[in-house]
Amino acid sequence: MRNIPSNFIKVKCQNCGNESTIFQRASTTITCGVCEAIMVEPAGGKARLVGCSIVEVLESA
Ligand SMILES: [Zn+2]
């Protein structure tokens, strides 16, 4: 599995400030675990951030 880049990003909910780590190519809608606001929507294989901002891009170790 080491040849597959892990494009995880840490995002922050713009509604409540909760931080979550998500997969950048999410294929489903992701909601905030705290306030349930929609944070990420799938968009052609790459997630579109709607209610959150990127805090950090996590590189694979
Ligand atoms: Zn939230």
Side-chain angles (χ1 to χ4, degrees), residues 13 15-18 32 34-37:
C13 176
N15 190 46
C16 73
N18 178 52
C32 175
V34 175
C35 71
E36 298 187 339

Side-chain angles (χ1 to χ4, degrees), residues 1-59:
M1 298 289 283
R2 57 182 300 181
N3 291 329
I4 301 174
S6 62
N7 296 306
F8 284 90
I9 54 176
K10 186 186 287 185
V11 295
K12 186 174 187 177
C13 176
Q14 291 178 346
N15 190 46
C16 73
N18 178 52
E19 290 185 358
S20 307
T21 300
I22 64 165
F23 188 49
Q24 196 170 18
R25 293 179 187 173
S27 58
T28 58
T29 300
I30 298 173
T31 56
C32 175
V34 175
C35 71
E36 298 187 339
I38 295 176
M39 298 173 76
V40 176
E41 288 180 339
K46 187 173 183 179
R48 186 211 326 253
L49 307 181
V50 272
C52 62
S53 54
I54 294 177
V55 176
E56 186 179 359
V57 177
L58 305 174
E59 303 293 336

